[in-house]
Structures are given as structure tokens and as C-alpha cells.
Amino acid sequence: AQSVTQLDSHVSVSEGTPVLLRCNYSSSYSPSLFWYVQHPNKGLQLLLKYTSAATLVKGINGFEAEFKKSETSFHLTKPSAHMSDAAEYFCVVSDNTDKLIFGTGTRLQVFP
Amino acid sequence: DSGVTQTPKHLITATGQRVTLRCSPRSGDLSVYWYQQSLDQGLQFLIQYYNGEERAKGNILERFSAQQFPDLHSELNLSSLELGDSALYFCASSPSIVSRTDTQYFGPGTRLTVL
């Protein structure tokens, strides 16, 4: 069975500093991986996705993630945090029946 | 705005009751997905419909059922409600049947409170 592990439940950064949200996956074959963001009282929005093309994936709002097969990781990064980035972030893997399996989420706080 | 609409936004009901949640997908999307988000279980996939047919099932209880109508809107029916069914229920839609590569567009959710 496939799964994702988000290594940090909370991450706090200062505005203007880099963001790193960590995600490891487990998969018996080549997975599709996604990062979704959920702002308070809102639905989820896709940030980016990896579907076996380029390993460095660029998403919206300056976010990017790198698929590293050797490390089974798909960490989300952004060079400079903005106050509006404060939200819950979900790493997601697609299993062999095309179902999405969500991680437990990482809450990002951004301080001024 | 994702283009996916869900009604109602909030629902408060009592144990043992039955409720219906409604979802309208983005224009042109044929797949509809239902998810449950709760504090103890996190975000869980419940069920997927594609063009009116059930396509995939997740952790959906037997007390829950769904359908997708010819106009592609979908309804999630929850019956014999229990306190533990209190959660945020999301609907998502995507253009095709293949959720592995498709982007899913999520609605704003329906918050269900069972008292």
C-alpha cells in the first residue's frame, strides 16, 4: 500500500525566510505526487504535481518541489515566505487504484 | 474560486437523522470525488463517480451512499448519523477518470455537526 509521511505537523518561519515542508512517500511503483494547500475555512487548492516528467516541479505562488526517488522524498520549498502563505499543506500520493492518499498535513505559520 | 460548488455550507442535525450534501462540479468535469476531513481521521477519500457510474470506493461507511446524476451533479447521503460523523465533507471534480494525474478541484466544503 502507498502512503505519505509529513515529517512536521507545524512549521514556523519569519516573513522573507525560506520555507521547507518535508514529505516522504512509500510506493511499490512509480507514484504521482501532489502538494495541496488549505487556507482557513477554504477548500483545498493544488500547488503542484509530479507525474513522472521533470523531477523538479514548479507550482503556483513561488513554490516548488523536487522528486527524489533515492530518498523517497517530495519536499516542498519556497525561497521567501509571505504572510499569505500561512495555511495547512498536504502532501498527497496517488495509489495504484488512482485514489488520492493524503498526509496528515503541516501547518505553516509565518511571523512578521 | 475553483468552480466547484457545494451546498449547504453548514449543517447541524441530531444523531439518527439523515442528511444530503450536494455538489456541482466544474463545467465539463466528468469525475466527482467525495472526501471527509475530521480531526481524528484526517482527510479521507470516500468515493468517486465518473459520468454517472461509481468508479472507486474508499473508506465509505455502509450508512453513507452517493450518486451522480445525468447533469453530473452529485449527492452524498449520510444516514443514521452518529456523533463521529461530524466533519468537513469536501467534493472535488476533475476532467477525466484518471485521478492519478488529473488535478482535482475542490469545493469549499460542507461542515456537518451532529449533536
Side-chain angles (χ1 to χ4, degrees):
Chain A
Q2 300 195 67
S3 64
V4 287
T5 302
Q6 291 186 244
L7 299 167
D8 307 292
S9 58
H10 289 87
V11 169
S12 297
V13 299
S14 297
E15 192 174 22
T17 64
V19 175
L20 170 64
L21 305 183
R22 299 182 295 164
C23 173
N24 286 350
Y25 70 90
S26 171
S27 173
S28 56
Y29 71 110
S30 183
S32 292
L33 291 157
F34 309 78
W35 276 98
Y36 278 85
V37 61
Q38 183 178 25
H39 286 95
N41 301 313
K42 294 280 179 76
L44 286 88
Q45 181 186 21
L46 180 71
L47 280 177
L48 49 82
K49 64 180 176 181
Y50 166 78
T51 56
S52 75
T55 56
L56 182 60
V57 183
K58 292 189 185 298
I60 61 171
N61 301 334
F63 284 94
E64 62 181 40
E66 187 170 7
F67 174 73
K68 291 187 176 180
K69 188 174 180 180
S70 59
E71 298 176 14
T72 61
S73 69
F74 190 58
H75 301 334
L76 182 70
T77 60
K78 182 173 180 176
S80 175
H82 192 273
M83 295 295 291
S84 61
D85 294 328
E88 186 96 18
Y89 291 80
F90 293 92
C91 182
V92 185
V93 65
S94 184
D95 75 2
N96 58 347
T97 61
D98 288 336
K99 297 173 193 170
L100 295 188
I101 299 167
F102 286 77
T104 50
T106 297
R107 183 165 298 279
L108 176 65
Q109 282 186 301
V110 182
F111 294 104
Chain B
D1 184 4
S2 66
V4 178
T5 60
Q6 290 186 248
T7 55
K9 201 168 182 177
H10 300 278
L11 202 46
I12 300 174
T13 188
T15 54
Q17 295 297 306
R18 172 190 168 93
V19 297
T20 298
L21 313 183
R22 182 189 168 102
C23 168
S24 292
R26 290 189 326 151
S27 176
D29 283 358
L30 298 178
S31 272
V32 169
Y33 309 80
W34 286 98
Y35 293 89
Q36 179 194 60
Q37 185 178 33
S38 62
L39 283 174
D40 53 344
Q41 301 280 349
L43 249 168
Q44 290 197 99
F45 165 73
L46 294 178
I47 197 163
Q48 177 197 0
Y49 277 81
Y50 175 77
N51 205 19
E53 300 288 327
E54 183 183 303
R55 152 78 175 149
K57 250 182 177 177
N59 299 322
I60 188 166
L61 299 172
E62 283 193 15
R63 300 184 284 110
F64 296 0
S65 64
Q67 53 185 324
Q68 186 179 26
F69 294 87
D71 67 352
L72 300 177
H73 91 270
S74 178
E75 292 181 356
L76 179 67
N77 300 296
L78 315 177
S79 61
S80 303
L81 285 167
E82 302 174 359
L83 295 177
D85 297 328
S86 295
L88 197 49
Y89 291 84
F90 286 109
C91 166
S93 73
S94 70
S96 78
I97 198 171
V98 184
S99 61
R100 182 183 307 172
T101 53
D102 257 4
T103 295
Q104 292 189 23
Y105 296 87
F106 281 76
T110 293
R111 183 168 294 281
L112 173 66
T113 302
V114 182
L115 301 175

